[in-house]
Amino acid sequence: MSSVSIDMSGEIKKAAATTNATNVASAKRMKEFKQFDIVSDYSDHYFASLNLGFFGKKKDCFTNANSGVLKKIMQEWKILKNSLPETIYVRAYEERMDLLRAVIVGAAGTPYDDGLFFFDFAFPPDYPNSPPKAYYHSHGYHLNPNLYGDGKVCLSLLNTWNGEKEARWNPCKSTILQVLVSLQGLVLNEKPYYNEPGRRHSQNKKLSKRYNSMMFLLSCRTMLALLRKPPRSFEGFVHEHFCTRANFILQAFKANTVCSAAFGHHQDNVSHFFFEGSVKLHQKTKLYLELENAFTKNTASVTKLAFTDDTKNEALVLHTSNNEGLYQSKQIWGLIGLVLSIVCLPLLFSVFLELVG
């Protein structure tokens, strides 16, 4: 038993060293990824067919150098290039100046920590008199009162929510940068449960914690969707981010022991979620293993540590013990094969000699 433990310890150390080396290389490449850049491929942009005239011709306001709209968009580009916060990345499009794509990295201390949240924007033909249109890449998950499963973004600054007049879009002052910072700080925040107007004065900390726990799990599911199909022009970013942050995400998952389930019974006129008890252990384990496998396939070299929590994760313990049992079984059969070959070979050789003689 001790020899097996020593072997396991050695494997963990090797995996950890590999992970560290991978993380260093990924972190270096992450720094080389520009926060603002102009790219060409907008084919998967949600608003790719918007703002087009007959036969797909671009509207004059987005192509005419003397257009006030175009000049305003160029100003926005300049602001984004010089003033983006560290955890927001933006891509503009060479052939479609009316489109933008942004990703916000979930902040530490929130249920969205280390998640990637993608938004597509389209400037309208009368910009800045009207705010930009926004679409959230939800992958079907409603992980915030302001971000719907159908991609709708509810934000006063976008005039998609009835907020105070001062919080709504102001053609003279508002910018796309303000929209991004608002999404990061006001929407993807530490206690999103209270984003819902009816809950803002609630003191129900228990429900807030449960909501955070569920949103973290939905954020993890979003990670899996992004790894399967990253948005264009961000493929390398998604790959390197999850290479660098894989172990931190898995550790956070294991720390997320108080989990509640949201089973999708959402109605716009009722409530965002009905709470139906704790997430079943096998479901939590399954999601953890899916994440671990996805990160491994993503060449993150995830260090495989036993996943147990205070409630004793029987499913994963069984998974681990089955693997160890299979390994020990192979060793035993290998030893039996060696013994049989030593005993039987001389006998077979003597029989062969008799037959030849």
Side-chain angles (χ1 to χ4, degrees):
M1 191 70 181
S2 60
S3 61
V4 172
S5 299
I6 292 169
D7 290 341
M8 288 295 289
S9 176
E11 289 301 316
I12 289 173
K13 286 179 180 178
K14 286 179 184 177
T18 304
T19 301
N20 289 337
T22 304
N23 287 348
V24 169
S26 293
K28 183 179 178 181
R29 287 191 290 269
M30 285 281 287
K31 289 181 180 179
E32 295 171 357
F33 190 85
K34 295 179 181 178
Q35 278 195 271
F36 178 84
D37 203 2
I38 302 169
V39 295
S40 57
D41 188 358
Y42 58 87
S43 57
D44 69 332
H45 196 284
Y46 182 77
F47 297 111
S49 61
L50 194 68
N51 293 332
L52 296 177
F54 291 109
F55 307 109
K57 185 179 179 182
K58 288 174 280 189
K59 293 188 177 181
D60 185 64
C61 62
F62 299 117
T63 57
N64 187 342
N66 295 318
S67 164
V69 176
L70 196 62
K71 288 178 180 178
K72 178 61 178 175
I73 291 174
M74 294 295 288
Q75 288 175 8
E76 295 275 15
W77 283 14
K78 188 175 181 180
I79 292 170
L80 291 170
K81 186 175 181 179
N82 297 324
S83 306
L84 278 172
E86 285 186 3
T87 52
I88 299 179
Y89 298 80
V90 175
R91 291 295 176 265
Y93 298 95
E94 190 176 13
E95 297 296 321
R96 289 293 303 273
M97 295 184 68
D98 56 317
L99 305 180
L100 280 178
R101 171 167 288 167
V103 60
I104 299 173
V105 182
T110 73
Y112 310 108
D113 188 8
D114 282 327
L116 297 179
F117 305 92
F118 282 88
F119 298 86
D120 284 354
F121 297 95
F123 295 108
D126 64 342
Y127 190 76
N129 293 326
S130 298
K133 294 183 180 294
Y135 174 82
Y136 166 59
H137 288 260
S138 70
H139 304 281
Y141 301 118
H142 185 179
L143 48 62
N144 187 284
N146 298 77
L147 304 175
Y148 285 67
D150 62 1
K152 181 181 178 182
V153 179
C154 285
L155 193 68
S156 298
L157 192 56
L158 293 172
N159 293 347
T160 53
W161 189 257
N162 295 323
E164 298 292 332
K165 184 179 179 181
E166 295 76 17
R168 293 173 69 80
W169 182 263
N170 184 330
C172 300
K173 297 180 180 179
S174 301
T175 65
I176 192 72
L177 177 62
Q178 289 177 338
V179 172
L180 293 171
V181 172
S182 295
L183 287 169
Q184 183 183 51
L186 301 179
V187 176
L188 300 169
N189 59 35
E190 294 178 0
K191 297 176 182 178
Y193 176 78
Y194 299 110
N195 284 12
E196 186 69 35
R199 302 172 186 159
R200 285 176 185 171
H201 302 294
S202 169
Q203 297 299 318
N204 198 328
K205 295 180 180 179
K206 187 176 180 180
L207 277 180
S208 179
K209 284 186 75 174
R210 184 190 286 184
Y211 187 88
N212 274 15
S213 184
M214 291 190 299
M215 296 311 102
F216 174 77
L217 295 180
L218 292 183
S219 179
C220 289
R221 294 197 178 279
T222 302
M223 295 176 195
L224 291 173
L226 286 171
L227 284 167
R228 284 193 294 269
K229 190 176 181 181
R232 289 183 185 172
S233 301
F234 285 91
E235 296 93 339
F237 179 84
V238 170
H239 172 81
E240 302 299 348
H241 173 79
F242 288 120
C243 275
T244 306
R245 304 305 299 173
N247 279 319
F248 295 98
I249 294 166
L250 293 177
Q251 291 292 338
F253 194 108
K254 288 186 280 187
N256 184 43
T257 54
V258 183
C259 297
S260 299
F263 289 95
H265 301 297
H266 169 67
Q267 294 180 11
D268 290 340
N269 60 340
V270 183
S271 173
H272 285 283
F273 289 97
F274 291 101
F275 301 118
E276 298 192 6
S278 297
V279 169
K280 291 182 180 179
L281 207 51
H282 70 88
Q283 292 174 323
K284 185 179 174 184
T285 303
K286 183 173 180 288
L287 178 55
Y288 178 91
L289 293 174
E290 285 177 6
L291 270 177
E292 188 184 45
N293 289 335
F295 289 152
T296 303
K297 288 178 182 177
N298 190 48
T299 66
S301 301
V302 179
T303 304
K304 294 189 175 182
L305 303 174
F307 174 50
T308 54
D309 55 22
D310 293 339
T311 55
K312 290 189 179 180
N313 194 333
E314 295 175 3
L316 187 57
V317 169
L318 180 63
H319 171 83
T320 306
S321 58
N322 282 346
N323 284 345
E324 289 179 358
L326 185 62
Y327 175 72
Q328 291 172 353
S329 174
K330 285 180 179 178
Q331 283 187 318
I332 292 168
W333 280 109
L335 185 62
I336 291 171
L338 181 64
V339 171
L340 287 174
S341 63
I342 292 171
V343 172
C344 295
L345 275 176
L347 182 61
L348 290 170
F349 186 69
S350 62
V351 170
F352 174 75
L353 290 175
E354 286 182 12
L355 289 173
V356 171

